[in-house]
Amino acid sequence: MNQAIERADFDLIASWVQPGERVLDLGCGDGSLLKRLIAERGARGYGVELEGAEVLAAIGNGINVIQGNLEQGLAGFDDQTFNHVVLSRTLQTVRHTERILGEMLRVGREAVVSFPNFAYWKNRMAVMAGRMPVSEDLPYEWFDTPNLRFFTLLDFEALCAKMGLVIRERQVLDEAGRLVTEEPNFLGSLAVYRLGR
Amino acid sequence: MAGIGIVAAQNAHFTQPLHLKGGGVLPAFGLVFETYGTLNAAKSNAILVCHALSGHHHVAGYTADNPANIGWWDNIVGPGRPLDTERFFIVGVNNLGGCHGSTGPASINPATAKPWGADFPVVTVEDWVASQARLADHLGIDAWAAVMGGSLGGMQALQWTLTYPERVRHALVIAAAPKLSAENIAFNDVARQAILTDPDFHGGHFYEHGVRPLRGLRLARMLGHITYLSDDQMAEKFGRRLRVGAGSYGFDVEFEIESYLRYQGDKFAGVFDANTYLRMTKALDYFDPAQDFDDDLARALARARAGFLVVAFTTDWRFSPGRSRELVHAMVHNGQSVAYAEIDSAHGHDSFLMDEPHYHAVVTNYLKRIKP
């Protein structure tokens, strides 16, 4: 992900967090988002991260990070304890997609999910040209990508409907981090959703 | 980077009676301790290091009489090390009931003018914390910047946050558990039985018989040592290698692992006190802060005000990561400040003592939260 789109993703999420709210950031990396939510929004919360190097960095950033594997669910986190449970640009790397979405709305009142749109026009162009897309936003080759799930806005919304999840808000960004309003499944590089039950 | 060099123990004597959880009273007691680094003017940079079953006050550096007598956690304490003596004032103390200079079973009982022996009370983690608080008073430390320990030492760090919530800013609870499992207590009891059934134990009054229950202590340590290592590590370090070319179909030392365990057992039995060993294992068994809260760990921990770093090691089966996660989940339930790292390490329970760069970096990064 490029920095512009990361900043835009975080800007959107930050704008949805009210002062003092409790946030759980799944796949929190080095804790940059939580650090920002704590500093700018007075939020409280925890991050969950699997990779040791990221956990180390998050601890150095003063983040209350819990090392753990999202694939094993969120056992140990109580029902409805968080205002927002965030999964920023991570859903595509999770194998148990439905389970993690269900778990997010078990422990939180709202799930905030962002993911790269594989139907973005540049990705479509790459496939039309016969190759899997590799770009600044999808910087991996097919054989070394951590991404397990390849899906689009339409795919995701169909899953939400199947699971009975309510889409409260959807924002779509292009590669420069600008909001996309028309043809989002074609022009949007990253989608950010607020989900509830 | 070099360590802190020569260190010397100090003694503090306390004459106010100490009422113990088990009901006994110690009319007076002494604690032996070491300090490293400099206590700042605000007395806000002090870190207490609590020891585990076989540890003591000599945490870091070496003693003037013996450069080989290096502290048991020297790899983590010193200039530029995670517990940086350029920033922090580190205190190591030998626990009450110990055998390295603090009042314990081998000390003279003022009531009888003979060694306490079996009459020395069973002390608990809570009692240790209460006695350590006297030491904090003695040093003029109102609140520790952090209390830290591994294994049984981690239990003390946790207990500090419960007994004295206002006196601990951070607790580093490493390779610990909220209480022992039945399996853990079982291991401890086999170790105790080895000591208690040694003919040289004399019901704990062996000092006056001029003997020591070396066989029992040695067996206890051998058993304990097995549980501190991982299967993989033992396989890698010893495998099925023989010390001599071929098996002799007898019962002398043949396999390398036998040799190692016997060496460890002998070394330990030579320096440790059997009555202390019994009491340390009992303190482990009894530790259970949730017991008074209907086994609700979250309620038990609710009064803690400290920030926590909880660390577990993947191959530790004596105090497995699952036990540390119980602590973390209770703290998250309470909305308390906690970070949890699960370190990949091959060394089983003993990992907490190892010089493992990622583990040490986690401790270093956490301690950045402390602004003395």
Side-chain angles (χ1 to χ4, degrees), chain A residues 22 44 46 52-53 55-68 72 75-78 81-82, chain B residues 308-309 325 328-329 331-343 358 361-363 365-366 368-369:
Chain A
R22 291 189 71 181
R44 298 169 299 145
Y46 304 91
V55 170
L56 173 64
I59 290 174
N61 276 326
I63 295 302
N64 283 329
V65 60
I66 313 292
Q67 188 161 8
Q72 285 153 15
F77 291 96
D78 299 327
T81 356
F82 295 95
Chain B
F308 289 92
L309 174 66
R325 282 197 293 265
V328 172
H329 292 154
M331 291 164 184
V332 170
H333 173 92
N334 291 337
Q336 290 164 313
S337 177
V338 56
Y340 171 62
E342 200 168 292
I343 312 282
H358 177 68
V362 164
V363 173
N365 270 9
Y366 184 82
K368 287 177 186 166
R369 295 182 190 199

Side-chain angles (χ1 to χ4, degrees), chain B residues 92-317:
Chain B
V93 59
N94 183 216
N95 282 352
L96 197 60
C99 54
H100 291 88
S102 292
T103 298
S107 307
I108 299 299
N109 179 353
T112 63
K114 290 197 294 189
W116 282 90
D119 299 331
F120 193 85
V122 169
V123 287
T124 62
V125 170
E126 290 92 325
D127 297 329
W128 285 332
V129 167
S131 69
Q132 290 159 1
R134 302 275 187 94
L135 179 63
D137 296 340
H138 170 81
L139 295 168
I141 296 163
D142 289 335
W144 299 102
V147 180
M148 174 173 184
S151 190
L152 180 56
M155 291 173 167
Q156 292 163 65
L158 179 63
Q159 186 60 44
W160 257 98
T161 70
L162 305 179
T163 309
Y164 302 105
E166 293 77 29
R167 301 192 72 173
V168 193
R169 301 216 303 277
H170 294 273
L172 287 78
V173 180
I174 299 170
K179 63 184 174 196
L180 292 197
S181 64
E183 184 189 56
N184 252 316
I185 294 172
F187 281 124
N188 281 346
D189 195 49
V190 175
R192 282 192 294 268
Q193 288 300 319
I195 293 169
L196 293 167
T197 58
D198 185 323
D200 286 339
F201 183 61
H202 294 287
H205 291 291
F206 50 86
Y207 313 100
E208 45 206 273
H209 291 82
V211 292
R212 299 173 60 227
L214 295 176
R215 283 163 292 183
L217 200 49
R218 177 171 176 264
L219 279 176
R221 183 58 171 179
M222 288 170 75
L223 173 69
H225 221 87
I226 296 168
T227 71
Y228 304 148
L229 304 177
S230 72
D231 191 20
D232 286 351
Q233 179 194 16
M234 265 201 218
E236 186 182 324
K237 198 167 172 181
F238 308 104
R240 294 182 47 84
R241 278 195 308 283
L242 298 172
R243 299 199 68 214
V244 287
S248 63
Y249 298 93
F251 299 103
D252 286 337
V253 171
E254 291 187 313
F255 291 94
E256 286 286 0
I257 182 64
E258 295 175 315
S259 165
Y260 172 79
L261 282 179
R262 290 181 199 198
Y263 169 76
Q264 291 294 337
D266 286 338
K267 192 173 79 166
F268 185 74
V271 297
F272 211 79
D273 181 280
N275 281 314
T276 291
Y277 197 90
L278 293 175
R279 280 156 184 75
M280 293 284 170
T281 59
K282 267 299 189 193
L284 272 163
D285 293 0
Y286 282 131
F287 183 70
D288 183 6
Q291 191 177 31
D292 295 337
F293 293 85
D294 303 325
D295 292 325
D296 184 337
L297 184 62
R299 271 177 58 213
L301 302 187
R303 63 189 185 278
R305 294 287 166 268
F308 289 92
L309 174 66
V310 178
V311 177
F313 300 91
T314 49
T315 54
D316 184 352
W317 56 278

